[in-house]
Amino acid sequence: MYQERTGAAGTTICSVGDPVGSIESSVGGYWAIAPSDAARPILRQSGAGRKYLEFSGVTQALQVPNFALTSRMYVGAAAQNAVSGSGMWFLEQSAQAALNDGFLVRGTSTFAWLVRRTLSHSAVGSGNWSGISLSALEWLYTTATQAYYLDGVAQASGTIAGTLVSDTTATDTLNIGSRNGASQFFNGSLYALVIADSADTLSAGDLANLRTWVGQKAGRTL
Amino acid sequence: MMATAYTHSLVVIAPTELWASIQALNAALGHDVGDGRPLSATGAEPETHRGVQAWVQQTFAHQATGAEELPADAPEGTAALLSACTISADELIDPIGSGPSTGELSTYGSAAGHWAAALAAAQLQVIE
């Protein structure tokens, strides 16, 4: 994690309170890069000692270029919504959202996962992501059925008709904290993010470990 | 805990026609301010202003707001450009990082609060 927006060429390691220009994923070799200096989220630390990224809802965002997806995924995040406002987009694979495709979490007074244009991105069940609580948000798609979880509690599930866009689109930009890096910026905190592709090949133990880790980052037992 | 140098939230709002100059000034200082957010009185097109909130170091904030003199090597026209903008700064309550660093600001509470207050004072809204 570096202050510079130069990925692996970064030299200034972030301390608490510093702007974060580049973050390397733990696996996969991906770099999340802020699109400008002003867009860099800030590394903060809670009273409980947890570190997180602060997004102010103005221009802070990260982008992962050439992000490859497969159709079967596990996405888990420990995040906090600062306000129950509307129009904040938390995760988006950019070009797909213009077609209401790809995947995203929209941090409104409810949270919503959108996976394919055939699925509504309105509120998912009663899975409210409201107020300011730190929550574990998960989307699990390992078979033809997908399921959404809030703090480990299944909110809704359904069968995906047809193929996911990621079946036919190899790579795209992953936006964290904005819509396409240009609007609807996230106002909140990100404590952890896991995106595991080929999730249908994960062992039950590996999947459980991922979910446990996300839950721990959110202060939950999943 | 190591103290951060980024102790100030800075909000800059400029008439749209000056945003390129704001970008050029920042580039000359080694910063990329980005495209900012389009603004108007109603939140609808046409855009009249652009604005941005960013975390900066104290000297930068003080020079931008006029609390300190600009450096002698500031690009020509900097003072005039800044005077044409609406600029405000707010400071972390605990800049030395002696405890949790949650980004709490002295006046506006948070960076989002600072941005909202600056927009309200300028009677502008974001065009989404």
Side-chain angles (χ1 to χ4, degrees), chain A residues 93-124:
Chain A
Q93 195 191 18
S94 63
Q96 316 311 332
L99 301 173
N100 282 341
D101 247 335
F103 69 94
L104 61 88
V105 186
R106 190 174 62 169
T108 63
S109 57
T110 60
F111 82 95
W113 295 94
L114 169 66
V115 183
R116 192 173 185 278
R117 66 172 69 107
T118 53
L119 297 175
S120 168
H121 63 272
S122 58
V124 176

Side-chain angles (χ1 to χ4, degrees), chain B:
Chain B
M1 181 185 299
M2 183 182 297
T4 181
Y6 292 82
T7 55
H8 285 64
S9 171
L10 187 72
V11 172
V12 177
I13 297 173
T16 298
E17 63 270 21
L18 295 181
W19 193 254
S21 299
I22 291 291
Q23 289 176 310
L25 172 60
N26 276 271
L29 298 172
H31 303 288
D32 177 359
V33 72
D35 294 332
R37 302 296 299 277
L39 308 170
S40 73
T42 62
E45 298 283 0
E47 168 191 336
T48 60
H49 292 75
R50 290 234 157 196
V52 70
Q53 180 273 329
W55 288 90
V56 300
Q57 300 181 19
Q58 175 175 293
T59 299
F60 191 96
H62 284 184
Q63 290 173 345
T65 56
E68 287 183 27
E69 288 190 7
L70 292 169
D73 59 352
E76 187 177 352
T78 296
L81 178 59
L82 294 179
S83 68
C85 301
T86 301
I87 302 174
S88 68
D90 198 3
E91 185 177 8
L92 285 173
I93 286 177
D94 183 15
I96 62 171
S98 58
S101 175
T102 56
E104 189 173 1
L105 290 170
S106 301
T107 302
Y108 300 108
S110 67
H114 184 195
W115 171 247
L119 289 185
Q123 297 185 310
L124 292 168
Q125 300 178 52
V126 173
I127 302 171
E128 287 286 3

Side-chain angles (χ1 to χ4, degrees), chain A residues 57-191:
Chain A
V58 183
T59 59
Q60 283 78 7
L62 295 169
Q63 295 181 314
V64 184
N66 301 317
F67 188 78
L69 293 174
T70 64
S71 60
R72 305 301 168 94
M73 291 183 289
Y74 167 76
V75 182
Q80 183 173 8
N81 213 359
V83 295
S84 294
S86 62
M88 296 184 298
W89 290 46
F90 177 54
L91 279 179
E92 177 208 42
Q93 195 191 18
S94 63
Q96 316 311 332
L99 301 173
N100 282 341
D101 247 335
F103 69 94
L104 61 88
V105 186
R106 190 174 62 169
T108 63
S109 57
T110 60
F111 82 95
W113 295 94
L114 169 66
V115 183
R116 192 173 185 278
R117 66 172 69 107
T118 53
L119 297 175
S120 168
H121 63 272
S122 58
V124 176
S126 59
N128 291 332
W129 185 29
S130 60
I132 58 173
S133 61
L134 173 58
S135 306
L137 311 172
E138 298 176 284
W139 173 55
L140 181 59
Y141 174 46
T142 56
T143 66
T145 300
Q146 59 176 334
Y148 313 87
Y149 297 86
L150 176 63
D151 291 336
V153 178
Q155 304 295 309
S157 63
T159 300
I160 293 178
T163 56
L164 281 173
V165 66
S166 52
D167 289 335
T168 55
T169 302
T171 61
D172 206 336
T173 297
L174 173 72
N175 287 288
I176 303 172
S178 77
R179 186 170 201 195
N180 212 9
S183 64
Q184 297 180 314
F185 290 86
F186 177 55
N187 181 1
S189 306
L190 175 61
Y191 287 70

Side-chain angles (χ1 to χ4, degrees), chain A residues 1-3 12-20 41-45 51-53, chain B residues 1-6 101:
Chain A
M1 185 180 294
Y2 298 116
Q3 292 188 28
T12 311
I13 295 172
C14 294
S15 297
V16 172
D18 289 340
V20 178
I42 304 295
L43 180 64
R44 301 290 186 200
Q45 180 171 301
K51 291 187 173 67
Y52 61 91
L53 295 180
Chain B
M1 181 185 299
M2 183 182 297
T4 181
Y6 292 82
S101 175

